[in-house]
Amino acid sequence: MSHGHGVVGNGVTMTPRPVRVLTALLLATALATVVVEALTFWYAPEHGFGFAVRTVWALVRTLGWLILISQVRRARATAKPLSLILTMTTLFAVGRLIVPPSGRPPLPGVLGFGVLTLLCLTVVVLLYRHPAVDAHLVHQPRRPVLTREGISLREAPPGDPWVLTARLASFSYSPLMLVPALIAAGTLRHRPEWTLAVILWILAGIAVSYAALLSAFFLRRGSHRARIALTSITLAVLAFDLPLCHVLLGLDGLVRDGSPLVVAATLTLYALRRIARTSTRAAAPA
């Protein structure tokens, strides 16, 4: 029996029990997300355009948990940072639906959010702390490699977890910008003077996705300039998005829609700092 995978007769590999439990928890988390959103929608005092946009975004996050299940089953190293980012963004996305603009949130929604929080934290702990799960993710699938002798299968080397974290966290900038921008677009009939600002906001949200993708590509190759570029993009995104959230959506919008972006940006900057430290130690003479 290997450290991360059990072998049952005829060389058939059996998934470790903790990994199977983790998969079940991920399914339960995806289901809990949908249930809490349904309860929130049912008890919401009003269903405006902003509420609809936030609800759709929260539902889209559910697909992320299904992707995470696939990553875990395929023993991908991206499962760890993806779980961390999904946990933070899901709790923010669902939490801002539960809290109404005024008054107290409904008790069923609060209880459901508590269950969802417990499931999310359990998933993260299992992925980062359980040795069997860690061994399962360290085991990388074999990929075809062209050699002089022909095509052979070699085990792909695991990626730097902080590089993966920075890449995935930066990929979330675009949707986290577009959600408040679309909500603000729904208010333009009352203040058309902000039309140009909202259009630029939407275009910036789309452009950030390409900028982050390009920086992440070179970051994977260990480029120092890519780290600087991604840091600059992160700071520019915060400087551009947060003031617009406050001006066009008010303090409530800043908290609801700006906080998830701040968390994603903080995670990206921390990951970039860890990458820089690793690169410095690797470059230091022995």
Side-chain angles (χ1 to χ4, degrees), residues 15-282:
T15 304
R17 183 178 178 182
V19 177
R20 299 198 301 271
V21 172
L22 175 61
T23 303
L25 284 174
L26 290 172
L27 286 172
T29 303
L31 180 60
T33 303
V34 175
V35 170
V36 174
E37 290 162 6
L39 288 173
T40 304
F41 184 84
W42 179 265
Y43 284 99
E46 57 182 17
H47 303 106
F49 181 77
F51 183 84
V53 172
R54 291 185 176 114
T55 301
V56 170
W57 167 238
L59 285 172
V60 170
R61 303 303 304 169
T62 306
L63 298 177
W65 293 103
L66 301 181
I67 295 174
L68 179 57
I69 292 173
S70 173
Q71 297 291 296
V72 170
R73 287 179 173 177
R74 298 167 67 180
R76 294 295 177 84
T78 50
K80 286 185 178 182
L82 181 58
S83 71
L84 189 60
I85 295 164
L86 275 176
T87 292
M88 293 187 302
T89 55
T90 296
L91 293 180
F92 271 108
V94 177
R96 62 187 173 188
L97 289 176
I98 293 175
V99 180
S102 61
R104 296 181 179 180
L107 181 59
V110 173
L111 294 177
F113 182 75
V115 173
L116 178 61
T117 301
L118 181 61
L119 286 171
C120 288
L121 294 178
T122 303
V123 164
V124 172
V125 170
L126 281 176
L127 277 165
Y128 277 88
R129 294 298 181 183
H130 200 287
V133 174
D134 186 65
H136 172 75
L137 297 179
V138 167
H139 173 79
Q140 295 294 305
R142 292 182 177 273
R143 299 177 182 176
V145 178
L146 183 62
T147 63
R148 291 183 178 179
E149 293 76 17
I151 298 178
S152 63
L153 292 177
R154 294 181 181 176
E155 194 169 89
D160 185 340
W162 291 112
V163 171
L164 295 174
T165 301
R167 293 174 64 199
L168 291 175
S170 63
F171 289 161
S172 67
Y173 291 171
S174 181
L176 291 176
M177 291 179 68
L178 289 175
V179 168
L182 292 175
I183 295 173
T187 67
L188 289 178
R189 59 182 178 180
H190 301 297
R191 41 184 178 178
E193 66 274 11
W194 289 100
T195 301
L196 180 59
V198 172
I199 292 175
L200 291 176
W201 197 355
I202 294 174
L203 292 177
I206 296 173
V208 163
S209 63
Y210 293 98
L213 182 63
L214 185 62
S215 298
F217 174 78
F218 289 103
L219 184 67
R220 186 178 182 181
R221 295 173 175 267
S223 171
H224 172 68
R225 292 182 179 180
R227 293 199 300 270
I228 296 177
L230 191 52
T231 299
S232 301
I233 291 171
T234 301
L235 297 177
V237 163
L238 292 175
F240 183 83
D241 187 84
L242 297 183
L244 286 174
C245 280
H246 186 263
V247 172
L248 295 177
L249 303 178
L251 181 60
D252 178 72
L254 178 62
V255 174
R256 289 172 182 264
D257 301 300
S259 298
L261 182 61
V262 171
V263 172
T266 302
L267 183 59
T268 301
L269 293 175
Y270 180 75
L272 290 173
R273 184 178 180 184
R274 294 295 298 264
I275 295 169
R277 288 181 178 178
T278 302
S279 300
T280 301
R281 287 198 297 266

